[in-house]
Every structure is written in C-alpha cells, then in structure tokens.
Amino acid sequence: MPALVTRDEAARHAAKLKALWETSPGLKGWLATVDHKELGKRYLITAFVFLLLGGLEAAVMRWQLMQPDMHVLTPEAYAQLFTMHGITMIFLYAFPVLTGFSVYLWPLLLGCRDLAFPRLNAFTYWIFLFSGLLFYASFAAGWAPNNGWYNYVPYASQPYNPGPNIDVYAMAMILLGISTTGAAINFIVTLVRLRAPGMSINRIPILVWGTITAAMGNLFAVPAVSLAFALLWFDRQFNTHFYDVSQGGQPLLWQHLFWMFGHPWVYAIVLPAMGIVSDGIPIFCRRPLVGYSAVVLSTIATMVLGFGVWVHHMFATGIPMTAASFFSSASFIIVIPSAVAVFAWIATVWTGRPQFTAPFLFFAGFVLLFVIGGVSGFMTAAVPLDWQLTHTYFVVGHIHYVIIGINVFPVIAGVHLWFPKMTGRMMSEKLGKWSFWVMFVGFNLGFFPMHIVGLQGMPRRIYTYAADTGWGGTNLVITLGSYLFAAGVLLFLSNVVWSRWRGRPAGPNPWDGPTLEWSVSSPPPAYNFAVIPVVASRHPLWDGRLREEAVASSLDEGYLLAKERETLGTTPVDAEPDAILRMPRESLMPLLVSLALLVVFLGFSIHGVSALACWVLAGLGGAGTLACGIAWLWPHRYMVQTLDEDAP
Amino acid sequence: MNQAVDEFRELPVGSKGRRSSGWWGMVALVASEAAVFGYLLFSYYYLMAHSLHVWPLGGPPTLRLSAPGTLVLLAGSFVMYWGERGIKQGANGRLIAGLAISIVLAALFILLELWEWHDKGATPSTDVYSSSYFIITGFHLAHLAVGMVMLAVALVWACLGYFGPRRHSAVTIAGLYWHFVTVVWLAVFFTFFIVPRLSP
C-alpha cells in the first residue's frame, strides 16, 4: 500500500516523475508520444486546420452563389466542393475538435495522469489525421466525394457514379469510424476506472458527462454508417445488390442506416460542446451550475431519444404516415431535455454575478443561437412543414445554426477558457471581444436570411440560379454576412497566434475556476498531478467558500505513485481506490499500425481503378497491421503484464 | 483525510484478473461489434420484409453442414472456457491445450463454412438474398479469423510462460471476444437457417 504524501514532500520527487512521464525530445519523441496533453493539442490544431479548409470551400461556393448565373465553378467542381465542405465540417472538424478538448482535459478534470489507453489515444489521433489526408488526397486527384455528405443511393451507385470518388468516401469514413470508436472506448474505460478517489458519479464535471454520452452514442451509432458504406462498397465493386432495386435491393436501406448513425452523431457533436458551456458559465457567474442533476439527466436523455428520431430525415421519402407521426412526436419530445439545459444556463446567469469576459460573450451568444437553431429544428420536425422545407435553403440555415451555434461558438469560448491552461498565457480580451461581435453579427447576417430564401423556394445544392427567381439580393447578403463571419474567425485565430507568444502570463488559475485542472501549473507538468488528489465535492477548488460543502477536498495530500508510469484505478460508481495502474511508455507502434491501416484502406479505395494494386496494398498493409499490432500488445515487464515480475 | 482513502487496504499493481482496463475496453469493443451485427441483421430483415418474391428462393438452406458447424463452434467456446478456468488454478498446460483445441475447432468450422459456400450454387451477385447471405456469413468468418489470431498470440504467450493464476488478463480478454464470436454466430445461424423454417 503506497503511503499518502503531501505535495511538498512530493516536490522532492518531481524530477523523478518528470523523467518518467516526459516525452523524449526530437523527432522520435514527437512521433511516439502518448501524452494526452500533446495529443489533445494536436487534435485541436488538426481540427482547426480542417475548419479553415472547409471554410475556404464555403467561401468559394458563396462566391458562386452571390449573384445569379455565376459560373466560377463547373457543376462537377461545385458538387465536390459542397460534399467536401460538409464532410470536412461534420466529420473532420466538429467531432474531432471536441475530442481534442476531452483528450486534453479529461485526465486533468478527473485527477489522473493520462487516459486509460495512452497508446490507443495516439492511434486514434493518427487514424483521424490519415482519414482526413485520404479525403484531401482524393480532392487533389479530382476524385473527391461528389454526392453530398449523406451520399444517397442510387446516385452513389456504380452505374451513375463510376469514378473512385464514392469508394474513397466509403473507405475514408470506415477508417475515421475506427478512430471514433477507439476514442469512445478510451473515454468509457477512463471514466469507469481512472477518476480521482472520491469523485463519485454525482461529482463528475458536465464536460465529462457530455463526452461520455457522445462516446456511448458513437459506440452504437458509428457501426451503422461504417456498415452502410461497406455494403455500398460491395455493391459498387462486387456487384452485390443491397441498394439495387432491380435485384430486390432497397435504396431506402441506405437512408435508414445512414440516419440511424447521422442523428445520434448530431448529438455527439453538440453534447460535449454543451458540456463546455455548462462548466464554463458557472466560472464567469461565480456560482455552481443551477440544476446539475437535471442537466446531466437531460444530456443522457437527449442521446437516448436521439436514437429514436432518425426517420425525421426521411419524411419526404413516402414512408407510411404512422411511422412519420411517431418519429415526428419523438423529435418534438427532444425539446424537453434541451429546454432543461437552456433554463439551467439562464438561471445560472440570472442568480450569479456575470463577468462579461470574451469567453462569457461566446457562451451567451451560444445560448441565443441554440434557441434559434432549436426552433427551426422544431419546425422541420413537423411532417407537413417538413414536406415544404425539405431540400431547401431553410435546412441549410437550420444546420448552420445548429453546428456553428452549438459547436463553433462553445468551442471558441472553450479555447479562450483553457488557452491559459494549455500555454501558460492569457488571450487578449480586447481582441476576443472584437472577434465575438464580428462573428456574431456576421453569422446572423449571413445565415438567418438562408431561412427566408429557403421559404421562397431556393433549393439547396444548386450550383447557380437564374436571375428571374428573385433570390439574388438575399444571396448577396448571405455571402457578405458569411464573409464577415469568416473575418471574425480569422480575428480569433490571430488572437491565438499573438497570445501564444505575447500573451500575459496566466498562473495556475487565472479565472478562479473550481475544477481540478486549475489546481496544477499552466501548462501542466508532464505527470499532471504530483500527488493524486482526493475529491469531496463537484467544486474541489471552491470547497472553502461554498457553505454546503461539509468536507473539503484534499489537493495537497494523496498518493505519490512514482515507481513507474503509474496512476490510480478506482471503482466505477463510488471511485474508491481499487488498483495501481501501470501505464505504457511512448511507442512508435500506434503510428506504424495507423500507417499500415492507411495502406489497406487506400488499396480498397482504388479497387475500381486497379484490382491488382488494391489487393497488393491490402496485403502489405494487412501484414504490417498484424505485425505492428502484435508488437504493440506484447506484454511488458514494466507494466507487470508478465508473471516474472509480480506486484512489488 | 477524506473517507474515500482512509482505510488501509492492499492495492494490487497492474492488471489483475477481471479488474484490468483491457477487460473493460474489450467489453466496450464487443458492444460496438454487436451493434455491427445488429445492423447487419436489421438490413437482412428489412430486405426480407420488402421482398416481392419467396424468401429465400428455393426454400430454407440446408442444415447438413451448418448444424455440425454450429456444434463445432460451440464446443470451441467451451474448450476455451475450460482452458481459462485452468490458468486461474495455475494449470498452464490446460490453458495451452484449451487455446490449441479452440483454434483447431475454429479452423474446422471455417472449412465447413467454405464447403457450404462452394455448394451453394450462387454467388454474392446472384440476388439480394445471396448478397446478404455471403456478406453476413463472411463478416462472421472475418471476425472468427481475428479471434483465431488473438488466440494464437495468447497461445505463444502461454508457451513462453507469461501467465499464472494472478496474471492472465490477456487470456480473459481474448476469451471474451471469442465467446462473443460464438454468440453472434448463434444469431446469424438462427436468422438464416431457423427463421425460414418457422414461416408458414
């Protein structure tokens, strides 16, 4: 049994802990690192690069649509652009950016030294990066997906779309699904095993609840889309008939499988962001969140209900009216948990002492955009109205209010909030407020009129339109507004770059936040916590001032655990100490397995171009995956995975 | 000091028995894989429900090879369980025997399955029923192959003497996947070979 030590005593072991946990210098360390802080930052930066690429694609499209009869782009180029825009934003930005926050923050929020599977964490990052590269390599080759991000058959079928475009989409999505599933498993096991002692399930930060709910959702939703794409690939390359109506197949099967995934995914890309809001607003209102339990339960309820509403994307497909009514009502019911969260945020602001900092502005702006996006969603959930609105620009307006409003705004607030923790420097408040107002005004100016032009009948996904439609004026406003929004994003990015080098030093807890990440230095040491903290409330750093807390958390005395890379395993519900976990050192195997898998999936993507090249690549990649995978999992003495060195 | 840690208890170091992180990870992976098969079988029943023809054309598939195959696979799972129980009591030889016999039984199942494919008189592109038959049983075969690799690696580790009564989480984890592949086969078997016999 390890003894409890104080932080001061532990300071004497700091050099040893640092040597144990720090990533080795140089290129090898960079490629082999398993440090969640390093990987979290990589997730965030990579996702922001994809955000910029998706933004560029949108800017080109909005140029084309600014006025009637513009022909900057050919129809095929426009099809690839809008498909890649959707894929980039929904799959390569919106979810990975939230994974980045969670990968960086979870161990710090939970009081442990890494995620449960550090090498899996590196693996899921590399796979995410490589699937993005596969998408963009195909773009460079002119083979990018060109059928919209939800890729309906039969246009996605071989006879109507013979190029490798759709095969690339299928394989890159399955590859990305491996990353998403791996990350979900990592979060689930981390939550079950690695919480600080005393962090029972009613003391977990809401960001963690949001991420775990998304992870549980993804665990069951991602298989649907991976399978949908696998069956599509078999239909295209091996002449099976799953979606082929002439041989008894069902085109609607694609839509079912896609939306069984697609709708839970919507919640996967918003619930962790709502968690950022629920943990962020209290810091800037100087009080705990109102209705913690209600918000947690509504988070979970949203995801559970989210599995029962996929058909509301298919109201216009001729499904029976009974089914449509059922899924319409299920969609209405989701309003209830969403409203619970909104009222909890409003009550927290109302009863708190709001500080109008830059991150607070983004949080507050989010609440308004969430309500607008929720109301337009409520409208499309009604069957008769949906028949009118489906495939119009109204839906484009709705999806952007949902994704930019509920994802981008909280993400930018989150960057402002945790930038000091990640870099040790504050972001410029002045520039932050400017970027908020430019983004907020630009966003509403650009995206609200989309609802109007949609009601006037403008379809989505058209590459140009005639002058006599009368949509030219509104489209000009949309384009100018969205460019203003983009300028706000650039202002924010310049703030990030400027503050990274010139920002004011932050100190451990610049916002006076209540959760564990603020108890360590900024940036945190490689081992996160010198001693594993013991938690007695939801707000360990505010224990002294909140009257309701009878027992104070212990941040200055705890387990040292410095024999190897070690952290404390606790029980799933009550978080009582259960085991001392040995964590892996850095390893190149996650990168090598990812590269080998990339070769496999690259091969499968080009089966239609050259079957021989496909099987050669798949064989080589498969052998590499097997060899490096076995090397990865080979038992190590230092992790006590073999008999010969039993527990000391 | 807080209540959560004040009692003096012996804490094990590293993975011990079922309390390993890897076991939890495999539980989550199996849940996700079960969803894959859930969606596959959903697709099958969806296509069946919308079929305009007799399903399958020419009556239910024969049990001549699939029924013995199912018994072989079930036997493999039981043998694996027997081997797992062995290492818990420190009998490494029993574990080695359990792993080796399970791998052989799985290979036998694969042979029977491929024989059945050969005798089918259809290909994945014949019609939508044969598409689903070959793809779903093929998905299962792929999972079985992955399970065989896991067992083979565990066999090598067992021969190297890595496991004992306290340290054998790799065996428990591989075993969990192995039993999952067997249980999934029962669902696939029921769907393809029993359900068509139940319809009037």
Side-chain angles (χ1 to χ4, degrees):
Chain A
M1 179 74 183
L4 296 171
V5 298
T6 64
R7 248 209 257 199
D8 293 337
E9 288 171 58
R12 288 188 282 113
H13 300 272
K16 188 182 179 196
L17 280 168
K18 187 165 179 274
L20 276 171
W21 285 90
E22 206 164 54
T23 300
S24 53
L27 182 65
K28 181 178 177 285
W30 195 83
L31 295 173
T33 185
V34 293
D35 182 349
H36 73 95
K37 297 179 286 298
E38 175 63 27
L39 293 164
K41 284 189 281 187
R42 280 187 206 174
Y43 258 112
L44 288 169
I45 292 168
T46 311
F48 268 100
V49 169
F50 283 125
L51 178 74
L52 285 180
L53 289 170
L56 275 177
E57 288 147 15
V60 178
M61 286 190 290
R62 281 315 315 174
W63 187 268
Q64 169 109 334
L65 294 174
M66 184 161 55
Q67 285 293 291
D69 295 314
M70 299 257 285
H71 294 276
V72 182
L73 297 166
T74 62
E76 172 62 22
Y78 190 89
Q80 292 195 12
L81 264 185
F82 77 66
T83 306
M84 284 301 285
H85 169 73
I87 289 170
T88 305
M89 293 309 203
I90 291 168
F91 298 126
L92 301 176
Y93 158 75
F95 190 70
V97 79
L98 300 176
T99 306
F101 276 110
S102 301
V103 164
Y104 187 93
L105 288 169
W106 265 47
L108 293 165
L109 286 167
L110 297 177
C112 54
R113 286 178 176 157
D114 208 322
L115 292 176
F117 303 115
R119 289 173 297 190
L120 178 65
N121 195 20
F123 170 76
T124 56
Y125 169 74
W126 291 119
I127 291 283
F128 153 55
L129 176 67
F130 292 161
S131 76
L133 291 181
L134 185 53
F135 273 122
Y136 272 85
S138 76
F139 206 3
W143 290 348
N146 54 2
N147 187 24
W149 70 279
Y150 48 69
N151 201 41
Y152 283 172
V153 291
Y155 184 65
S157 306
Q158 176 80 15
Y160 311 101
N161 207 329
N165 313 52
I166 303 298
D167 301 309
V168 170
Y169 192 4
M171 289 304 137
M173 271 302 279
I174 296 173
L175 194 59
L176 184 64
I178 294 172
S179 164
T180 312
T181 305
I185 291 173
N186 213 346
F187 287 132
I188 289 167
V189 180
T190 303
L191 188 77
V192 169
R193 292 268 294 173
L194 262 65
R195 284 154 25 225
M199 191 180 281
S200 49
I201 53 167
N202 57 340
R203 292 175 182 163
I204 298 170
I206 308 265
L207 167 59
V208 174
W209 279 114
T211 311
I212 196 67
T213 309
M216 288 298 285
N218 281 336
L219 200 64
F220 296 105
V222 168
V225 80
S226 298
L227 183 69
F229 274 106
L231 299 183
L232 179 62
W233 186 72
F234 284 122
D235 265 15
R236 291 173 54 84
Q237 298 301 330
F238 298 94
N239 208 17
T240 57
H241 305 295
F242 292 100
Y243 307 124
D244 172 12
V245 77
S246 68
Q247 299 290 325
Q250 288 294 327
L252 270 189
L253 178 61
W254 169 271
Q255 295 198 26
H256 279 296
L257 289 174
F258 189 89
W259 290 117
M260 280 174 177
F261 151 81
H263 208 81
W265 182 259
V266 171
Y267 296 116
I269 64 180
V270 302
L271 291 175
M274 290 161 72
I276 291 176
V277 177
S278 295
D279 282 345
I281 284 186
I283 296 179
F284 299 105
C285 294
R286 314 308 307 147
R287 59 150 299 148
L289 181 72
V290 172
Y292 169 93
S293 307
V295 172
V296 170
L297 291 175
S298 71
T299 303
I300 297 168
T302 303
M303 182 55 90
V304 171
L305 292 170
F307 272 88
V309 300
W310 79 91
V311 173
H312 74 208
H313 297 271
M314 302 164 58
F315 284 159
T317 55
I319 53 159
M321 202 54 214
T322 322
S325 311
F326 173 83
F327 283 95
S328 175
S329 359
S331 311
F332 287 144
I333 291 172
I334 290 198
V335 169
I336 296 169
S338 309
V340 167
V342 170
F343 286 120
W345 297 321
I346 292 175
T348 307
V349 178
W350 193 283
T351 58
R353 286 175 284 128
Q355 302 170 318
F356 294 90
T357 56
F360 181 80
L361 291 180
F362 280 100
F363 286 134
F366 147 81
V367 176
L368 181 68
L369 302 180
F370 180 50
V371 170
I372 298 175
V375 168
S376 62
F378 193 79
M379 290 166 76
T380 48
V383 178
L385 197 53
D386 185 73
W387 284 343
Q388 199 64 35
L389 296 175
T390 197
H391 267 276
T392 69
Y393 236 76
F394 186 94
V395 178
V396 181
H398 166 67
I399 195 175
H400 284 88
Y401 266 84
V402 172
I403 290 178
I404 296 180
I406 317 182
N407 182 293
V408 176
F409 274 72
V411 159
I412 291 184
V415 171
H416 280 88
L417 176 56
W418 284 296
F419 185 87
K421 183 49 60 188
M422 295 177 185
T423 63
R425 291 179 185 276
M426 302 297 289
M427 282 179 70
S428 158
E429 269 293 303
K430 198 173 168 189
L431 209 48
K433 285 176 183 166
W434 268 102
S435 58
F436 168 75
W437 286 111
V438 174
M439 281 176 65
F440 189 74
V441 171
F443 174 73
N444 286 294
L445 192 66
F447 292 79
F448 196 81
M450 290 180 177
H451 299 98
I452 298 165
V453 81
L455 286 168
Q456 289 167 350
M458 179 172 163
R460 64 194 297 194
R461 298 182 172 176
I462 47 169
Y463 81 105
T464 191
Y465 51 90
D468 58 9
T469 54
W471 304 327
T474 320
N475 272 291
L476 182 63
V477 175
I478 293 173
T479 298
L480 293 179
S482 59
Y483 284 4
L484 188 62
F485 174 72
V489 175
L490 293 179
L491 212 52
F492 157 74
L493 291 173
S494 59
N495 191 1
V496 167
V497 173
W498 184 85
S499 306
R500 173 71 187 78
W501 312 108
R502 296 291 170 82
R504 185 162 57 79
N509 193 359
W511 307 112
D512 191 21
T515 37
L516 290 175
E517 81 273 30
W518 303 110
S519 70
V520 297
S521 63
S522 307
Y527 45 86
N528 291 355
F529 298 93
V531 295
I532 304 293
V534 181
V535 172
S537 77
R538 282 173 207 152
H539 320 96
L541 274 63
W542 286 358
D543 278 355
R545 345 176 184 158
L546 296 170
R547 265 180 306 159
E548 70 235 47
E549 316 292 353
V551 193
S553 305
S554 162
L555 307 174
D556 294 323
E557 196 183 22
Y559 295 113
L560 175 64
L561 306 183
K563 280 206 172 72
E564 248 301 334
R565 287 197 180 196
E566 289 177 329
T567 194
L568 194 64
T570 52
T571 55
V573 177
D574 298 321
E576 287 169 4
D578 187 42
I580 293 164
L581 304 177
R582 287 279 167 94
M583 310 295 273
R585 298 173 189 159
E586 59 194 38
S587 161
L588 278 173
M589 290 309 151
L591 173 62
L592 294 180
V593 174
S594 311
L595 277 171
L597 275 176
L598 175 64
V599 172
V600 172
F601 282 84
L602 181 66
F604 288 159
S605 322
I606 58 166
H607 184 271
V609 182
S610 159
L612 178 68
C614 162
W615 296 117
V616 170
L617 288 175
L620 288 175
T625 306
L626 192 64
C628 297
I630 291 173
W632 172 347
L633 295 170
W634 203 269
H636 288 289
R637 278 187 191 189
Y638 76 88
M639 287 203 282
V640 213
Q641 287 172 326
T642 57
L643 261 184
D644 43 74
E645 188 180 329
D646 216 322
Chain B
M1 202 62 236
N2 188 265
Q3 247 181 341
V5 292
D6 66 357
E7 58 185 300
F8 184 87
R9 282 199 301 131
E10 181 72 25
L11 289 184
V13 177
S15 304
K16 189 179 148 246
R18 280 203 164 186
R19 286 192 293 182
S20 70
S21 298
W23 185 81
W24 285 101
M26 184 53 86
V27 168
L29 179 67
V30 160
S32 195
E33 292 274 25
V36 173
F37 281 93
Y39 291 116
L40 268 171
L41 295 180
F42 162 80
S43 305
Y44 171 84
Y45 287 113
Y46 183 86
L47 293 166
M48 180 174 92
H50 285 84
S51 170
L52 302 172
H53 307 288
V54 183
W55 181 282
L57 266 181
T62 167
L63 292 170
R64 188 171 61 92
L65 293 167
S66 58
T70 304
L71 291 177
V72 165
L73 202 58
L74 273 173
S77 229
F78 278 110
V79 172
M80 177 68 198
Y81 179 69
W82 172 78
E84 281 176 73
R85 289 290 298 265
I87 194 65
K88 279 179 191 161
Q89 296 153 23
N92 197 37
R94 204 170 121 185
L95 172 66
I96 290 173
L99 290 167
I101 296 171
S102 292
I103 293 171
V104 171
L105 288 172
L108 183 58
F109 173 86
I110 291 181
L111 277 180
L112 288 169
E113 182 80 35
L114 292 180
W115 187 1
E116 171 142 8
W117 279 14
H118 180 259
D119 284 1
K120 199 77 188 167
T123 68
S125 57
T126 304
D127 59 11
V128 71
Y129 171 79
S130 66
S131 297
S132 24
Y133 171 78
F134 282 103
I135 295 298
I136 293 176
T137 54
F139 257 80
H140 177 262
L141 278 194
H143 280 75
L144 193 64
V146 171
M148 285 170 76
V149 171
M150 287 187 193
L151 258 53
V153 173
L155 180 62
V156 172
W157 291 345
C159 293
L160 290 171
Y162 282 179
F163 302 125
R166 265 170 66 89
R167 307 277 170 193
H168 53 263
S169 54
V171 178
T172 321
I173 293 164
L176 187 61
Y177 188 82
W178 193 248
H179 302 312
F180 159 72
V181 174
T182 302
V183 170
V184 156
W185 171 256
L186 295 180
V188 172
F189 177 75
F190 183 79
T191 296
F192 278 97
F193 296 92
I194 306 297
V195 170
R197 282 162 218 279
L198 300 177
S199 27

